[in-house]
């Protein structure tokens, strides 16, 4: 029996969606584990080599799987690349769930920054893949950016506008606030080599991210006329 025969057959719409297919049935758990294993390897290869320089063979070797398995689950390099981008984008979009009308603005923004900094700490390679995609004009995720992401930002802009109208925070441009939040948090993943050099650190450890998170949170909250916890 080959490796491929031990796995669930792919869904009919393989490679047609931005993210990996959800597993179901008796082999769903194995499918999800294999997809995660491949996606983790692909993040590293795409971050280091870019889309054009990455190969399915290189991704398979990094995942310690036969190349046939990588094709089996994701079909093409483009589909796998889009799945890598979708995985980090969905995490970033989900972080906006903290911004709801009934929540205290300082608490909501603090929680959002905490999540974004955590992803920069734990998923820096995925962030770098996304940054490279944007630098090249977002050919693979333009539909996501103008669709799901824009709808989310429009919704959360209305939340921020509501806080401002109620006198709960200082007047700011909601969308440019979001752009500032993205830049302030993702830089710790995308430009970690520069930050390590300036700080004289070999690695971006927990201490660096603790100081960075406190700094970014304080800077954003004070700019919004809000008081950071403990200061």
């Amino acid at each position: 029996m080959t490796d491929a025969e031990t796995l669930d057959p792919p869904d009919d719409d393989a490679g047609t969606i931005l993210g990996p297919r959800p597993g179901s049935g008796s082999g769903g758990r194995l499918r999800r584990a294999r997809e995660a294993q491949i996606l983790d390897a692909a993040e590293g290869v795409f971050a280091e080599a870019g889309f054009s320089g990455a190969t399915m063979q290189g991704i398979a070797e990094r995942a310690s799987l036969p190349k046939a398995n990588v094709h089996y689950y994701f079909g093409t390099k483009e589909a796998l690349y889009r799945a890598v981008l979708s995985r980090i984008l969905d995490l970033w979009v989900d972080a906006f769930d903290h911004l709801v009308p009934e929540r205290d603005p300082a608490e909501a923004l603090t929680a959002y920054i905490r999540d974004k900094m955590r992803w920069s700490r734990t998923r820096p390679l995925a962030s770098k893949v996304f940054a490279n995609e944007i630098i090249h004009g977002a050919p693979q995720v333009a539909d996501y950016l103008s669709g799901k992401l824009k709808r989310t930002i429009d919704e959360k802009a209305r939340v921020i506008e509501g806080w401002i109208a109620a006198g709960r925070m200082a007047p700011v441009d909601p969308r440019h606030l979001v752009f500032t939040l993205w830049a302030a948090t993702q830089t710790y993943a995308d430009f970690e080599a520069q930050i390590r050099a300036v700080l004289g650190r070999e690695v971006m450890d927990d201490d660096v991210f603790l100081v960075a998170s406190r700094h970014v949170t304080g800077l954003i909250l004070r700019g919004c006329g809000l008081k950071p916890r403990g200061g």
Side-chain angles (χ1 to χ4, degrees):
M1 181 177 289
T2 66
D3 287 334
E5 289 171 334
T6 68
L7 307 176
D8 287 344
D11 296 337
D12 292 339
D13 62 347
T16 64
I17 57 176
L18 188 57
R21 300 176 301 275
S24 59
S26 61
R29 186 176 304 171
L30 176 59
R31 175 183 292 281
R32 289 190 294 273
R34 279 285 186 262
E35 286 179 339
Q37 182 179 356
I38 294 167
L39 287 167
D40 287 345
E43 279 184 9
V45 174
F46 285 130
E48 293 166 3
F51 177 77
S52 60
T55 65
M56 293 294 260
Q57 180 62 43
I59 292 167
E61 291 174 359
R62 190 155 181 155
S64 299
L65 290 171
K67 184 172 73 170
N69 281 36
V70 179
H71 283 289
Y72 194 81
Y73 280 104
F74 291 94
T76 66
K77 184 173 76 167
E78 180 177 287
L80 177 53
Y81 178 69
R82 288 170 63 86
V84 167
L85 290 167
S86 177
R87 192 164 65 155
I88 190 62
L89 278 166
D90 285 343
L91 289 175
W92 288 344
V93 169
D94 287 348
F96 281 113
D97 289 348
H98 294 294
L99 277 62
V100 291
E102 63 273 16
R103 193 164 187 186
D104 175 72
E107 290 181 358
L109 290 169
T110 297
Y112 175 81
I113 293 168
R114 182 180 62 241
D115 280 2
K116 285 296 273 51
M117 292 296 287
R118 181 171 73 251
W119 300 134
S120 288
R121 172 79 174 100
T122 61
R123 303 293 296 281
L125 295 177
S127 185
K128 290 175 181 177
V129 174
F130 175 78
N132 194 47
E133 167 73 7
I134 295 300
I135 288 170
H136 287 84
Q140 297 296 330
V141 295
D143 53 347
Y144 189 108
L145 301 182
S146 61
K148 181 177 181 177
L149 181 62
K150 185 179 185 303
R151 290 193 300 271
T152 300
I153 300 306
D154 288 345
E155 175 190 345
K156 298 310 175 180
R158 288 190 291 271
V159 171
I160 296 170
E161 288 166 349
W163 288 338
I164 294 169
R168 300 176 67 188
M169 63 179 284
V172 297
D173 184 297
R175 289 169 181 81
H176 285 278
L177 172 61
V178 170
F179 301 154
T180 302
L181 287 165
W182 289 345
T185 54
Q186 288 160 229
T187 191
Y188 289 95
D190 302 340
F191 295 96
E192 57 89 17
Q194 174 179 272
I195 293 170
R196 283 192 294 102
V198 173
L199 294 179
R201 298 292 193 107
E202 293 187 4
V203 296
M204 295 283 286
D205 58 21
D206 290 340
D207 289 340
V208 171
F209 275 91
L210 178 61
V211 173
S213 295
R214 288 174 176 170
H215 170 75
V216 171
T217 301
L219 197 65
I220 294 295
L221 294 188
R222 291 187 181 94
C224 292
L226 302 169
K227 185 177 181 181
R229 179 181 298 178

